Amino acid sequence: MAIIIIDPGHGGSDSGGTGNGLVEKNLTYTIAAKVQSYLLTYYQSADARVTRWSDTYVSLDQRCQIANNANADFFLSIHINAGGGTGYEDYIYSGLSSTGPTAQKRDIFHNAVVPVLQKYGLKDRGKKKADFYVLRKTNMDAILTEAAFIDTTFDANLMKNETFLNDLSAAYARGVATILGLKPVQPPSSPIYDIIVGGFSEADVDDALNKIQSAFPGWYMYKKKRE
């Protein structure tokens, strides 16, 4: 079982970038949930977990501890860019070789994303390095993505497009699966059923999800507010 930690950047009091009616912390969570769902649904031996289940603040150190304590095989941090530019880019830690194992895995991941960039006309800003905390302090291969610029109209319109978000998230999942050698899931021969385990207060729901995830790694779980 390959353990994959998916890290939605920002959250809670840390909104991240904003622009064009969008907030980074919400977009990163949306993409992370989609990537997790794609990995758990379509690939064998994928134990995909997220560092936050909701709009909560998780420190950079806590994010790294989650991955390191899980002995994860791969760490994917998801962000949205800002600053008036345009396009997609991804990063590995600046202290690593440009031709080493992590860089080679990043090449695989980047190549999985390129067809989506070409389909939607989004600029490929390339493969980069940076001294980001979550890249430096995680013990496994780690990549940080910056998917488009929230404060640029063209990029923001893409981020408002559900089809684009689905295609981008599927490409992220495909890149991770290729890196880890995960095989596609065979179509089920019988119906799939949802199992509802209980109702929880807002104060308890995230803790419950984490405990269930630990007990049943690889299960796809989500929370839905009771109407």
Side-chain angles (χ1 to χ4, degrees):
M1 187 70 72
I3 299 175
I4 304 139
I5 302 298
I6 306 165
D7 178 41
H10 308 283
S13 59
D14 177 12
S15 65
T18 59
N20 294 289
L22 299 172
V23 181
E24 182 177 4
K25 67 176 182 178
N26 298 333
L27 285 169
T28 60
Y29 183 80
T30 296
I31 295 170
K34 289 177 182 291
V35 175
Q36 182 193 38
S37 179
Y38 280 123
L39 284 167
L40 295 178
T41 303
Y42 297 112
Y43 296 98
Q44 299 178 30
S45 302
D47 179 358
R49 312 174 190 179
V50 293
T51 55
R52 62 179 176 95
W53 287 99
S54 59
D55 184 17
T56 54
Y57 176 77
V58 181
S59 72
L60 297 179
D61 188 60
Q62 286 174 312
R63 295 166 194 263
C64 298
Q65 287 183 30
I66 290 170
N68 293 338
N69 291 343
N71 292 316
D73 297 286
F74 195 80
F75 181 88
L76 176 64
S77 189
I78 296 172
H79 289 259
I80 311 299
N81 225 330
T86 183
Y88 165 89
E89 58 197 23
D90 44 40
Y91 291 83
I92 60 172
Y93 172 49
S94 56
L96 296 175
S97 166
S98 297
T99 57
T102 301
Q104 292 173 16
K105 292 178 175 66
R106 192 268 310 276
D107 291 347
I108 293 171
F109 184 91
H110 191 93
N111 289 339
V113 177
V114 166
V116 177
L117 308 182
Q118 295 173 339
K119 176 180 177 180
Y120 290 91
L122 186 62
K123 180 180 178 179
D124 181 358
R125 296 171 60 90
K127 297 171 283 188
K128 301 184 178 182
K129 292 183 180 183
D131 185 22
F132 293 135
Y133 189 94
V134 294
L135 298 181
R136 175 164 32 93
K137 292 294 187 178
T138 43
N139 297 333
M140 66 295 306
D141 291 315
I143 294 174
L144 185 146
T145 64
E146 293 278 9
F149 282 71
I150 201 168
D151 53 354
T152 298
T153 301
F154 177 82
D155 293 34
N157 285 340
L158 286 179
M159 302 306 292
K160 295 175 183 178
N161 182 339
E162 192 72 15
T163 304
F164 171 78
L165 293 180
N166 289 337
D167 286 348
L168 182 69
S169 302
Y172 281 11
R174 187 162 52 251
V176 172
T178 302
I179 287 168
L180 297 175
L182 304 181
K183 297 180 179 179
V185 169
Q186 297 300 314
S189 57
S190 59
I192 299 296
Y193 296 89
D194 291 331
I195 299 175
I196 300 176
V197 298
F200 302 90
S201 69
E202 186 173 359
D204 298 329
V205 64
D206 288 340
D207 183 58
L209 282 168
N210 285 325
K211 288 179 178 177
I212 297 167
Q213 178 75 77
S214 296
F216 300 98
W219 283 31
Y220 171 54
M221 284 174 283
Y222 63 95
K223 66 180 182 181
K224 181 179 180 181
K225 187 177 181 181
R226 183 176 294 174
E227 301 297 336

